[in-house]
Amino acid sequence: MKALLEVNHLTKQFGKDSKALTDVSFSVQEGEFVSIIGPSGAGKSTLLRCINRMIDATGGDIRFQDSQVMNLKKKELKQVRTKIGMIFQHYNLVNRLSVIENTLHGKLGTKSTLAGVLGLYSKEEKQQAVQILNVLGLNEMIYKRADQLSGGQKQRVGIARALIQNPRMLLCDEPIASLDPNSAKVIMDHLKKVSTTMGITVVVNLHQVDVAIKYSDRIIGINKGQVVYNGSAKGLTSEDIQRIYGSEADDLIFDIGGIHAG
Amino acid sequence: MEVKEQLRNVTAPADHLIGGRMPAKPLNKAAIVTRLTLYTLAVLTIYAFFSFDYKELDFMDALLGTFANLKTIFLEPHLKHFSFGHALYQVMVTLGLAFLTTLFGAIIAILFGLLAAENLSSKKTSMVIKSLVAFIRAVPTVLWVLIFAVAAGLGSTAAVIGMTFHSIGYLIKAYSESFEEMDRGVIEALQASGANWWQIVFQAVIPSSITYMISWTFLRFEINFAVAVAMGAAAGAGGIGYDMFMASSFYLDMREIGAITYFILAVAIILEIFAAKIKRKLKTA
Amino acid sequence: MQADIFAKKKRNTLAYLCLLGAVTMLAMVITEYNAVKGIASIPKAVQWGMANFYPTAESLEKLPVILEKMQETLLVSIAATTAAAVFALLFAIFGSNTTRINRFFGAVTRGIATVFRNIDVAAWALILLFSFGQSSLTGYFALFFGSFGFLTRAFTETIDEVSGGSVEALKATGAGYFSIIFQSVIPSSIPQIISWILFMIETNIRSATLIGLLTGSGIGFTFNLYYKSLAYDTASLVVIVIIAAILLIEFASNYVRKVIL
Ligand SMILES: Nc1ncnc2c1ncn2[C@@H]1O[C@H](COP(=O)(O)OP(=O)(O)OP(=O)(O)O)[C@@H](O)[C@H]1O
Ligand SMILES: [Mg+2]
């Protein structure tokens, strides 16, 4: 089977001598749920942003479906971006607009400039937005302003905005880092459901090893810009965790057996 | 063990300080510059008083005269050379000038404000526009008006164009600063879904900054009302300012000046109350 | 119901645009503004400026006189601002909600400041022309009154913003009124106050040009002299000197702001 996303020998350098990524290679299959873990500053966000070219990598290549992402022209890049949804730690909603308007922003990439500027959406698009919001349990909030929502609700709007793009893949940069454990669970459950029922590939940056093990099919561990673990969630041992987080991380290592069992 | 060692290192110099002289106010760079600024201003002010060209004016006499004049102006106002209706109409003319300049200024400033905001444009473009704005703002409005008057003739047309220039400079600065305060992440989120620049501007940037923009624009309208009065007096723009100039320099009628001042004051205070209302409403909305 | 929010938004936008258009038309009619002439005047002004509005070698001879007038205007602006700032600070302390002595006194001081703020400096200049004639003092007092009104409002807002919590804390320790003012209110608002004073000086230099035109003194009068006698080369030199002075002051104030704020 051909992989949906393939990253080969990717490097990213900021300025003269700070290397954020060194020779990163991995591939992601259609429908897979992949978590990327690693200490702060390891390069997780950088890696994710290189995939949809929010930042440009320095070397290597990235293939998504049949496109060489690094070589795309402006217009083709937008085309590819409409196929990749992105979810952020701080939700990044337009606070003064309503939930449904924020959701419909996911459609802008497929619209003409004028229609986007004037905010003209078709009836079908609005219906689709309402339907997605229903699935995410936001039916009561559709016309509320985004700044009136709780963090967990905001993040669900963020997911809705990504889903209305009809994406093949979701990139999530620490989607639960600002949430309490309950809301975090709700969000992770939704992401898992999206992956299993809609067959959408999910790549998610996480800080919680236990969450990563519980939800993902596969885990990629990054340390100092290099891939140090790439394998199934089940196969992650405490030695691996030590390799990913460094030797000072002894306290971090909890009862792995317990998590695997749970 | 190590921690204790470090603690000792930190406390040791502090002990030393308390033993010696410890000024209550540490003199850092900010404090020095603050003092220097205040001293400089004080010295320049005193020097200014000695260097004024008093033109053999008896200062005390003039001051007492001023109080007498102010009494006449504000306590015995009347209209002699024109009617109440005319005054009201002239106030409308002045308001009209202020409105047109604010509107034209705002429309042009939105476009250039977007280009001047570093997060929406390139560093180079932003710097070029910001320098241009600093230049435009440095030239006093009345000079812009007089310069355009050479081409368009003295009158409301030159006044509107000249005043618009200054409004543009002011509003570009205000708008671009509100745009720059915009959360970078929101722009990224829309970029990530493939939206283009214009779509991001209209769907995210302007909705997020609209309250600031309205506040600033209305503030400029208030300023432009005052400027329009001044341009009527100094640059032939018409309106109530011109009547005031005539009363002062031509008829030498203090009591009429008083009446006109009351007109201007009334409008200005209404505008201020209105601005405060808008601000409060936007804050809660 | 569902499309309501979009339809309503569209209707609102349309209504606002219509209103704006109508008011614009009305304003154009009563001010007798000629849109075509207005737009046409811009290229004409540029063309004229390129041909006439630049200093020539002869006009440079006038530079010492111009600089002297500029210095006078600068000094008037600074002196008026600092004096106004002293009075404004007093009024702001008595008028601010956190530091006023009592409610009545606070309202009175705020009322006085409102009156002064809303009479423009140009109006003050015309009023004061009666007593002081064509001397620097007319401009000085016009700027003084205008700045006093503006600075009182600015200082009041600064004090309200900056010192709410610390005033309460000092009150709780049993400190007296004046020690609270001098130990808490003034130290915590002094950077903002200086920033406002610098802003006011910049504004006043521009206003001084206008007042000079009206009252026949300072740099404004100099400009008018050459402008009226069609000596545009020298008039342009005056403009350049004004721009240089304002940019210089702005540069200095930006530096001070960066360090103290
Ligand atoms: N725009 C940038 N300019 C310069 N250096 C950067 C930039 N963005 C990231 N870096 C550097 O690249 C490295 C990786 O950063 P990145 O944000 O990808 O880490 P991360 O793994 O996402 O960390 P965290 O878990 O804290 O989010 C860091 O050393 C960071 O300092
Ligand atoms: Mg990160």
Side-chain angles (χ1 to χ4, degrees):
Chain A
M1 201 171 84
K2 203 170 160 196
L4 178 73
L5 173 74
E6 214 170 283
V7 176
N8 286 317
H9 308 295
L10 192 72
T11 57
K12 171 67 194 175
Q13 196 157 346
F14 287 110
K16 274 234 164 64
D17 41 27
S18 82
K19 264 203 162 161
L21 296 175
T22 335
D23 196 22
V24 171
S25 302
F26 63 90
S27 60
V28 178
Q29 302 300 320
E30 192 86 52
E32 223 179 347
F33 195 114
V34 179
S35 292
I36 301 176
I37 59 174
S40 232
K44 304 182 295 295
S45 303
T46 307
L47 172 58
L48 224 56
R49 278 153 189 276
C50 282
I51 294 174
N52 64 351
R53 291 250 315 258
M54 296 305 289
I55 50 180
D56 280 316
T58 320
D61 65 73
I62 299 166
R63 187 184 55 74
F64 175 76
Q65 288 182 320
D66 293 320
S67 322
Q68 286 297 330
V69 176
M70 312 257 293
N71 304 333
L72 294 177
K73 299 256 159 42
K74 218 170 150 186
K75 206 155 185 188
E76 303 159 322
L77 175 63
K78 280 197 181 128
Q79 183 71 35
V80 167
R81 278 180 179 172
T82 62
K83 295 255 176 296
I84 305 176
M86 194 161 193
I87 289 161
F88 304 83
Q89 178 184 347
H90 298 293
Y91 331 121
N92 298 358
L93 305 177
V94 181
N95 279 328
R96 298 186 47 80
L97 295 183
S98 63
V99 165
I100 188 164
E101 283 169 294
N102 270 295
T103 306
L104 287 164
H105 280 169
K107 278 284 178 212
L108 288 175
T110 58
K111 285 200 163 312
S112 74
T113 299
L114 190 66
V117 163
L118 298 177
L120 304 177
Y121 303 103
S122 72
K123 200 157 178 206
E124 290 75 40
E125 287 169 333
K126 287 177 200 163
Q127 272 164 355
Q128 195 192 349
V130 171
Q131 199 192 339
I132 292 173
L133 289 168
N134 275 339
V135 171
L136 293 168
L138 289 170
N139 22 353
E140 311 266 290
M141 309 288 170
I142 290 175
Y143 297 114
K144 272 211 169 147
R145 258 174 59 160
D147 51 6
Q148 295 170 345
L149 304 183
S150 73
Q153 291 166 336
K154 282 184 187 173
Q155 192 57 292
R156 279 185 269 160
V157 179
I159 297 177
R161 178 176 61 192
L163 286 183
I164 205 169
Q165 290 177 228
N166 298 324
R168 292 307 314 136
M169 177 169 78
L170 290 184
L171 300 174
C172 318
D173 194 359
E174 296 181 26
I176 56 169
S178 313
L179 299 178
D180 69 85
N182 280 330
S183 316
K185 184 174 181 313
V186 171
I187 294 297
M188 288 310 294
D189 286 342
H190 277 303
L191 289 177
K192 186 75 190 172
K193 203 164 84 183
V194 163
S195 152
T196 48
T197 61
M198 304 185 188
I200 296 174
T201 309
V202 176
V203 179
V204 49
N205 280 353
L206 283 175
H207 266 303
Q208 299 83 343
V209 181
D210 51 339
V211 177
I213 291 172
K214 184 169 165 211
Y215 285 93
S216 2
D217 303 322
R218 194 148 57 88
I219 290 181
I220 295 175
I222 294 192
N223 184 307
K224 299 212 180 89
Q226 283 173 308
V227 176
V228 293
Y229 179 84
N230 183 355
S232 72
K234 297 242 161 48
L236 193 74
T237 63
S238 38
E239 288 84 70
D240 293 326
I241 295 179
Q242 214 164 64
R243 206 145 31 91
I244 296 168
Y245 285 98
S247 50
E248 306 92 40
D250 277 345
D251 305 340
L252 243 169
I253 314 234
F254 24 65
D255 184 10
I256 284 225
I259 296 166
H260 281 318
Chain B
M1 182 60 208
E2 240 181 62
V3 174
K4 262 191 201 145
E5 191 75 44
Q6 275 175 357
L7 262 179
R8 199 165 318 134
N9 281 341
V10 173
T11 45
D15 282 344
H16 178 70
L17 254 182
I18 293 167
R21 241 170 3 109
M22 198 170 80
K25 270 201 188 117
L27 262 189
N28 54 16
K29 197 173 171 198
I32 294 173
V33 171
T34 303
R35 274 188 202 181
L36 229 53
T37 311
L38 289 176
Y39 291 153
T40 311
L41 290 176
V43 168
L44 284 175
T45 305
I46 292 166
Y47 176 71
F49 279 120
F50 282 108
S51 73
F52 278 170
D53 169 18
Y54 293 94
K55 292 221 170 119
E56 281 136 36
L57 200 73
D58 186 331
F59 185 73
M60 266 341 269
D61 265 7
L63 207 60
L64 290 177
T66 306
F67 282 120
N69 287 345
L70 286 178
K71 211 176 101 201
T72 316
I73 289 171
F74 287 109
L75 298 182
E76 302 162 31
H78 74 170
L79 289 174
K80 190 164 141 201
H81 302 92
F82 50 85
S83 65
F84 185 85
H86 172 87
L88 213 58
Y89 184 78
Q90 293 306 319
V91 168
M92 294 304 289
V93 171
T94 302
L95 275 173
L97 288 172
F99 179 82
L100 287 180
T101 47
T102 311
L103 180 72
F104 296 163
I107 292 171
I108 297 170
I110 289 178
L111 182 67
F112 284 99
L114 290 168
L115 293 175
E118 254 181 45
N119 51 346
L120 300 173
S121 144
S122 67
K123 230 186 173 110
K124 211 165 134 200
T125 319
S126 157
M127 226 190 56
V128 169
I129 293 181
K130 280 180 178 166
S131 316
L132 213 63
V133 166
F135 171 79
I136 290 177
R137 283 161 50 81
V139 180
T141 313
V142 65
L143 297 189
W144 281 122
V145 173
L146 289 178
I147 290 168
F148 279 105
V150 178
L154 221 49
S156 65
T157 305
V160 168
I161 299 290
M163 283 164 64
T164 301
F165 246 73
H166 216 260
S167 301
I168 292 173
Y170 180 92
L171 290 176
I172 287 179
K173 187 161 188 270
Y175 290 170
S176 64
E177 277 168 14
S178 358
F179 295 151
E180 279 169 358
E181 269 173 34
M182 160 112 208
D183 183 1
R184 168 105 212 113
V186 178
I187 297 174
E188 276 190 350
L190 293 199
Q191 270 172 354
S193 69
N196 68 28
W197 192 82
W198 286 107
Q199 294 172 335
I200 293 174
V201 163
F202 278 87
Q203 289 298 318
V205 178
I206 291 185
S208 301
S209 353
I210 191 81
T211 51
Y212 291 107
M213 290 169 69
I214 292 176
S215 292
W216 280 112
T217 311
F218 203 84
L219 187 65
R220 186 65 216 183
F221 181 59
E222 271 184 85
I223 297 173
N224 276 345
F225 176 71
V227 175
V229 172
M231 290 311 113
I240 194 76
Y242 179 70
D243 292 316
M244 190 169 194
F245 176 72
M246 289 304 278
S248 164
S249 304
F250 199 72
Y251 304 123
L252 303 176
D253 187 341
M254 278 192 257
R255 296 171 62 193
E256 195 161 78
I257 286 202
I260 297 172
T261 305
Y262 278 122
F263 263 103
I264 297 173
L265 195 58
V267 176
I269 290 179
I270 290 171
L271 288 182
E272 192 178 306
I273 293 170
F274 203 60
K277 270 229 169 86
I278 289 185
K279 239 188 193 166
R280 215 168 316 130
K281 199 172 161 202
L282 287 177
K283 246 184 206 158
T284 52
Chain C
M1 166 69 202
Q2 193 207 103
D4 232 0
I5 186 176
F6 295 95
K8 202 171 138 200
K9 231 178 174 172
K10 237 179 275 172
R11 267 204 309 278
N12 277 347
T13 312
L14 212 63
Y16 276 125
L17 282 181
C18 286
L19 185 72
L20 215 55
V23 177
T24 308
M25 290 310 293
L26 185 73
M28 281 194 185
V29 171
I30 61 171
T31 59
E32 292 165 19
Y33 171 73
N34 184 332
V36 177
K37 207 165 119 196
I39 292 172
S41 77
I42 295 175
K44 234 162 66 189
V46 171
Q47 217 171 34
W48 169 82
M50 299 273 228
N52 301 296
F53 208 67
Y54 54 83
T56 58
E58 297 150 57
S59 64
L60 282 178
E61 283 169 22
K62 301 275 179 12
L63 191 60
V65 187
I66 296 172
L67 285 178
E68 195 184 310
K69 283 288 173 193
M70 189 70 233
Q71 189 198 335
E72 183 192 322
T73 303
L74 272 171
L75 284 174
V76 168
S77 310
I78 292 173
T81 313
T82 47
V86 172
F87 284 91
L89 187 59
L90 274 180
F91 270 69
I93 289 171
F94 291 138
S96 155
N97 287 333
T98 43
T99 54
R100 66 182 175 205
I101 297 174
N102 62 42
R103 189 178 281 265
F104 172 73
F105 209 55
V108 170
T109 37
R110 273 206 307 271
I112 293 175
T114 306
V115 170
F116 276 91
R117 176 172 65 250
N118 282 312
I119 300 179
D120 188 57
V121 284
W124 278 119
L126 293 177
I127 291 171
L128 293 163
L129 205 49
F130 283 106
S131 318
F132 292 101
Q134 296 198 343
S135 79
S136 309
L137 285 178
T138 312
Y140 175 81
F141 279 108
L143 291 179
F144 173 83
F145 286 133
S147 312
F148 165 72
F150 181 88
L151 287 177
T152 305
R153 178 184 181 177
F155 290 174
T156 308
E157 279 175 10
T158 303
I159 291 175
D160 278 341
E161 215 171 88
V162 169
S163 39
S166 60
V167 166
E168 207 172 23
L170 280 198
K171 259 188 198 156
T173 68
Y177 182 74
F178 286 100
S179 34
I180 292 178
I181 300 291
F182 283 99
Q183 293 308 315
S184 159
V185 175
I186 292 183
S188 51
S189 40
I190 197 82
Q192 303 283 353
I193 287 178
I194 290 182
S195 174
W196 280 119
I197 291 176
L198 294 172
F199 171 81
M200 201 69 228
I201 291 176
E202 273 171 53
T203 312
N204 276 346
I205 294 171
R206 281 192 281 264
S207 306
T209 312
L210 168 73
I211 292 172
L213 273 169
L214 285 171
T215 64
S217 62
I219 193 82
F221 177 66
T222 315
F223 174 83
N224 210 18
L225 202 67
Y226 297 122
Y227 176 83
K228 286 245 171 80
S229 60
L230 309 183
Y232 292 127
D233 53 343
T234 319
S236 74
L237 189 64
V238 177
V239 174
I240 290 171
V241 169
I242 294 173
I243 294 175
I246 288 178
L247 289 181
L248 201 73
I249 299 269
E250 203 176 304
F251 183 76
S253 4
N254 280 345
Y255 171 77
V256 171
R257 270 191 206 112
K258 214 166 72 196
V259 175
I260 66 174
L261 280 183

